[in-house]
Amino acid sequence: MRTLTPQARQPRSRCTHKQPCPSADSPDHEAAVAVSAHPEQGWTLLCNGVLLFDDTGELLPDGQVIAPHRPLTATA
């Protein structure tokens, strides 16, 4: 059985925009353009290969997980 590396499964970037979107390893990677959105399932795929989840968690193309980072809500 052949094991694929994360790079073999996912291209580094799917961005073909005239002004390229930030790469997945860039601090502003969430600013990339959405190429597929499924709000009913709670996720959006960006052209740089990042999966954004509605709970603000992320999955990077290399398999790294970024835990949800919601802002704290103000309490009265």
Side-chain angles (χ1 to χ4, degrees), residues 4-22:
L4 298 177
T5 64
Q7 291 78 18
R9 282 184 261 145
Q10 179 74 23
R12 179 165 166 79
S13 176
R14 296 173 183 236
C15 186
T16 58
H17 302 104
K18 298 272 187 217
Q19 186 173 12
C21 291

Side-chain angles (χ1 to χ4, degrees), residues 13-53:
S13 176
R14 296 173 183 236
C15 186
T16 58
H17 302 104
K18 298 272 187 217
Q19 186 173 12
C21 291
S23 66
D25 56 359
S26 173
D28 60 344
H29 61 262
E30 293 178 12
V33 174
V35 293
S36 182
H38 292 274
E40 73 282 0
Q41 296 177 358
W43 60 270
T44 300
L45 175 64
L46 304 180
C47 69
N48 58 7
V50 174
L51 270 172
L52 296 179
F53 296 96

Side-chain angles (χ1 to χ4, degrees), residues 53 57-68:
F53 296 96
E58 302 173 17
L59 179 61
L60 302 182
D62 65 359
Q64 181 182 355
V65 174
I66 298 177

